[in-house]
Amino acid sequence: MLGIIGGSGLARLAGLGNPRRSIARTPWGDPSCALTFGELDGREIVFLARHGYGHTIAPHEINYRANVWALRDAGVEGVVSVATVGGIGSEYGPGAIVVADQIVDYTHGRRGTYFDGPNQPVTHIDFTEPYDRALRARLLAAAARAGETAIDGGVYGCTQGPRLETAAEIRRLARDGCDLVGMTGMPEAALARELDLPYAALCVVANHAAGTGDSAERISLEAIAEVLDQAMVRVRRILSEVVRG
Ligand code: HPA
């Protein structure tokens, strides 16, 4: 069974068969919402809305530890994150779907490890490749079968939010090698690795990042909503193929 974490623009999975909500509790507190179990094209999945079903939890307020733990407890074999991002660089324009392959973490103050608290041995995980190779390949193959273009690779810069970035911050991210900018990729990916859960992300570009392209002067939030509405239909098609294979 696959776990799917939906971000902005994907607080619900349309057409889920036999949906059941189940409240999860974890040693790390409460997840963003109840888990939704159900069938996506006949295959059992479990879905969690990262910002809550009513989109009320800001990126810095998300209990990432509880979310990832709850999915692990539900018995998932892996986690597919659907994440909305800004695109840096012209090949990552609005509407692009990207299977990211690297991360730069700019967040601060988030609870980012399970190896926390007194009497815990110091533990370092390998994070050279933050996303699971096999699950990334599965996402790319699923996109190809669905007839949807997905870009193979991109560096995800994770900012603290909830505000969007300044133009100078985006120039700095570009110099750092980032192709995408979002607010929720970390510590989610690292926590999944700590639990040995395969994790990969389908990143949906909602807008040109601040100061670039048609966001040169400001980012239009209305335009973002429209791009996301259309892109999530394509994401849904890819997800149907992911669970099949
Ligand atoms: N920056 C950070 N997060 C985002 C953006 C952005 O431009 N667009 C969607 N999520």
Side-chain angles (χ1 to χ4, degrees):
M1 178 174 66
L2 211 55
I4 298 172
I5 302 182
S8 299
L10 194 72
R12 248 160 261 278
L13 269 187
L16 207 60
N18 188 23
R20 284 112 46 216
R21 284 213 178 157
S22 165
I23 292 177
R25 305 217 183 279
T26 83
W28 311 97
D30 292 337
S32 296
C33 54
L35 301 179
T36 303
F37 290 82
E39 284 160 25
L40 192 62
D41 292 79
R43 312 286 155 107
E44 185 75 6
I45 61 115
V46 52
F47 178 82
L48 182 127
R50 182 183 283 119
H51 300 280
Y53 291 118
H55 205 274
T56 51
I57 308 171
H60 64 290
E61 291 172 333
I62 291 169
N63 188 339
Y64 295 95
R65 291 195 293 192
N67 285 354
V68 176
W69 192 274
L71 289 173
R72 203 274 303 260
D73 263 2
V76 302
E77 57 175 291
V79 175
V80 174
S81 151
V82 179
T84 301
V85 297
I88 307 172
S90 50
E91 64 273 46
Y92 301 93
I97 295 177
V98 188
V99 181
D101 68 340
Q102 275 297 333
I103 296 175
V104 180
D105 186 7
Y106 301 94
T107 65
H108 47 85
R110 299 185 181 186
R111 302 215 150 144
T113 180
Y114 294 112
F115 302 113
D116 209 12
N119 304 320
Q120 281 261 16
V122 176
T123 307
H124 303 288
I125 52 156
D126 173 62
F127 205 45
T128 311
E129 281 196 44
Y131 299 107
D132 183 75
R133 205 178 262 207
L135 191 51
R136 284 191 71 250
R138 191 168 154 191
L139 295 183
L140 289 164
R145 284 199 307 276
E148 297 291 347
T149 305
I151 300 175
D152 178 0
V155 179
Y156 178 112
C158 191
T159 58
Q160 176 71 0
R163 66 168 176 83
L164 293 161
E165 299 72 33
T166 66
E169 285 169 338
I170 292 300
R171 287 198 294 272
R172 171 189 167 209
L173 264 67
R175 286 195 300 276
D176 285 354
C178 296
D179 303 302
L180 309 168
V181 56
M183 300 175 189
T184 56
M186 285 293 287
E188 200 173 86
L191 291 165
R193 178 62 51 83
E194 284 192 354
L195 297 183
D196 269 331
L197 264 186
Y199 176 96
L202 269 181
C203 299
V204 181
V205 178
N207 56 283
H208 288 290
T212 73
D214 61 5
S215 303
E217 311 221 319
R218 65 181 300 278
I219 292 179
S220 158
L221 299 175
E222 304 76 53
I224 287 186
E226 201 169 304
V227 171
L228 286 184
D229 271 357
Q230 293 175 14
M232 289 307 164
V233 176
R234 293 160 52 220
V235 164
R236 177 70 175 72
R237 273 188 221 129
I238 297 175
L239 290 174
S240 290
E241 289 295 335
V242 175
V243 294
R244 265 183 222 156

